[in-house]
Amino acid sequence: MPTQHALLTASGAHRWMHCTPSARLEEALPDSTSEYAAEGTLAHSIAELKVRKMFVEAMGTRSFNSKMKKLEADPLYQTEMQTTTDEYLDYITGIAMSYPTRPYIAVERRLDFSRYVPEGFGTGDCIIIGGDTLHVIDYKHGKGVVVDVENNPQLMLYGLGALEAYSVLYNIKHVALTVVQPRADGDSIKEWTIDRDKLLDWGVFTVRPVAEKAFAGEGEFCGGDWCRFCRARNTCRTRAGQYTALEDFGSKTDTGKLPVPPLLSDAEVGEVLKIAVDLEKWVSDLKEYALTACLEGKEIPGWKAVEGRSSRSWDNQDEAFNVLSTGGIEEAMLWHREPYSVAQIEKELGKKTFNDLVGAHVLKTPGKPTLALESDNREAITMKPSASEDFGGERIG
Ligand code: SF4
């Protein structure tokens, strides 16, 4: 997989389109790669290998197995990666089979969208062109952040890059974007189609002016949910500034003359909570930053790094258990056997196999009510009786 990065990446578009100076600010900050990102890269390599073998190149089983073995030897490898990448391969196979003749298929294709974004390029996981439709399919291994496909700027930029590369050769009228995210809650496959001309308009009239600003480091800093993946997120002053809004609730007056009521209104509770949700994330980012700084020997006034709670383990479990057994301790005192949870078994088998084999045996009990933002996809629930329940079947009249 190519590792070179552009300043204005497609994956960061959601951020730099909202906060244009963030790209240049990030440039000066170190890029810390998380273990999750490294796991994602490994899963992508497995997915790529499978699609290559199936559609792109003549690869003998021996060569495929040896390549797969190398990937499986990675310390970050998990068997779940086989089932999630199978789901991705199945989806691609389904698209390919939906055409009467074999469509064009490319994997890990470098896509140049510099016509719209200065020096912009990225890598499309899988491109399929069948009939008058260009498919851009993106595999997401993460599960923490559920990725939407509609108006997703990353995929739209890949779409623009793919149009740039293939429009001369193919008569493309529609661009179908797909996110395959097998480990996320909810639908693991999300599709959205946009007309070619609409996408081109978006590139010229929406992206290009914003991207030029971002490339020049101009515009206003603007915080939002896009801050969480920004390299400046820990110490960004704008992000910190958002939370001073909480202080205002203590001193605010309606007109400057009237005293404020002693209790917060429901509208204020809603407002405070919206800020507080991000505040929680921000505080955790700050803690992580300060801990790293302290461990590096820097001074964060008022704070220091200390050893956390220690835990105990055996230096040699077999030997220790042997001593216990010979001392008359029964096995039942040393081992306990318990089944894996539904989620763990599904993870090991993959959603499809799991559903085929035991899907019918799974009971779904409603979860505990939880608070969510209005934008959440789940349906709102209430314990309040409806008007008809209120009458409780009483006869009227
Ligand atoms: S943390 Fe947020 S506000 Fe600050 S530069 Fe990054 S995206 Fe912009």
Side-chain angles (χ1 to χ4, degrees):
M1 288 177 69
T3 49
Q4 199 191 347
H5 285 295
L7 175 77
L8 302 179
T9 59
S11 57
H14 180 55
R15 177 173 61 256
W16 57 253
M17 286 182 71
H18 282 97
C19 178
T20 47
S22 64
R24 288 289 173 196
L25 182 69
E26 269 197 317
E27 223 185 353
L29 297 168
D31 185 8
S32 55
T33 320
S34 71
E35 192 163 293
Y36 296 121
E39 271 179 19
T41 307
L42 177 62
H44 267 89
S45 300
I46 294 173
E48 177 187 353
L49 180 63
K50 289 181 179 179
V51 182
R52 262 190 203 290
K53 181 184 186 306
M54 180 79 106
F55 295 106
V56 182
E57 58 188 59
M59 193 187 298
T61 309
R62 222 163 138 176
S63 160
F64 172 80
N65 288 345
S66 126
K67 285 177 181 159
M68 184 62 82
K69 224 172 176 177
K70 273 191 197 145
L71 294 170
E72 287 174 354
D74 190 305
L76 294 175
Y77 175 77
Q78 296 160 11
T79 48
E80 184 195 17
M81 290 176 181
Q82 295 296 349
T83 52
T84 55
T85 52
D86 276 351
E87 195 170 331
Y88 170 69
L89 181 66
D90 283 351
Y91 176 76
I92 291 171
T93 308
I95 295 287
M97 304 286 278
S98 68
Y99 291 100
T101 54
R102 189 187 167 103
Y104 167 84
I105 302 182
V107 289
E108 293 298 320
R109 173 76 156 84
R110 184 184 156 109
L111 301 168
D112 185 327
F113 45 84
S114 57
R115 184 190 290 269
Y116 310 94
V117 173
E119 297 177 5
F121 70 91
T123 308
D125 291 340
C126 182
I127 304 291
I128 300 182
I129 304 170
D132 58 6
T133 303
L134 162 77
H135 297 263
V136 177
I137 303 163
D138 199 45
Y139 174 81
K140 301 274 184 212
H141 193 65
K143 62 177 175 182
V145 178
V146 179
V147 181
D148 279 330
V149 71
E150 202 172 324
N151 290 309
N152 178 319
Q154 179 186 9
L155 271 83
M156 289 166 85
L157 287 173
Y158 288 162
L160 287 174
L163 283 176
E164 199 71 13
Y166 298 109
S167 284
V168 181
L169 299 168
Y170 298 90
N171 181 19
I172 298 163
K173 292 193 181 136
H174 312 286
V175 180
L177 307 176
T178 305
V179 169
V180 180
Q181 193 178 16
R183 297 166 77 226
D185 283 343
D187 294 338
S188 51
I189 290 169
K190 296 191 196 93
E191 298 167 313
W192 183 63
T193 300
I194 181 169
D195 287 344
R196 169 190 171 271
D197 292 345
K198 272 197 181 158
L199 183 59
L200 292 174
D201 280 356
W202 177 80
V204 174
F205 300 111
T206 304
V207 175
R208 192 185 283 160
V210 180
E212 277 165 7
K213 244 185 184 182
F215 193 74
E218 292 167 355
E220 300 291 323
F221 286 102
C222 174
D225 70 345
W226 46 88
C227 292
R228 67 187 140 174
F229 295 121
C230 179
R231 269 186 249 163
R233 68 185 176 277
N234 297 325
T235 48
C236 171
R237 193 168 298 282
T238 300
R239 193 179 180 206
Q242 292 179 86
Y243 307 116
T244 57
L246 272 180
E247 290 170 18
D248 299 345
F249 280 93
S251 55
K252 201 159 67 174
T253 58
D254 289 341
T255 60
K257 288 176 203 149
L258 294 174
V260 285
L263 300 177
L264 293 180
S265 67
D266 284 353
E268 284 172 315
V269 169
E271 221 174 305
V272 172
L273 274 177
K274 271 187 209 156
I275 301 167
V277 169
D278 285 335
L279 182 64
E280 245 181 334
K281 283 186 216 134
W282 180 59
V283 170
S284 128
D285 286 342
L286 273 187
K287 279 185 174 171
E288 199 185 307
Y289 170 81
L291 175 62
T292 312
C294 288
L295 289 173
E296 283 172 353
K298 292 181 194 153
E299 200 178 322
I300 301 288
W303 294 89
K304 63 183 176 185
V306 293
E307 237 182 55
R309 186 191 290 256
S310 65
S311 62
R312 298 188 302 164
S313 60
W314 303 110
D315 63 342
N316 183 333
Q317 183 173 305
D318 289 347
E319 217 171 282
F321 274 34
N322 228 344
V323 172
L324 291 166
S325 301
T326 17
I329 307 298
E330 288 180 22
E331 277 234 334
M333 299 277 289
L334 304 176
W335 300 97
H336 72 105
R337 188 169 169 246
E338 60 179 41
Y340 285 113
S341 67
V342 171
Q344 285 168 322
I345 296 175
E346 186 189 53
K347 182 179 164 185
E348 282 304 314
L349 298 183
K351 278 187 188 168
K352 191 176 177 313
T353 314
F354 177 87
N355 280 331
D356 291 350
L357 292 175
V358 284
H361 290 288
V362 177
L363 290 177
K364 203 167 177 195
T365 42
K368 210 172 136 193
T370 183
L371 196 63
L373 281 164
E374 216 166 32
S375 53
D376 192 283
N377 291 336
R378 287 166 292 182
E379 207 179 309
I381 55 169
T382 177
M383 310 289 266
K384 188 182 164 193
S386 64
S388 58
E389 282 166 344
D390 246 354
F391 285 111
E394 275 177 37
R395 278 170 198 273
I396 302 170

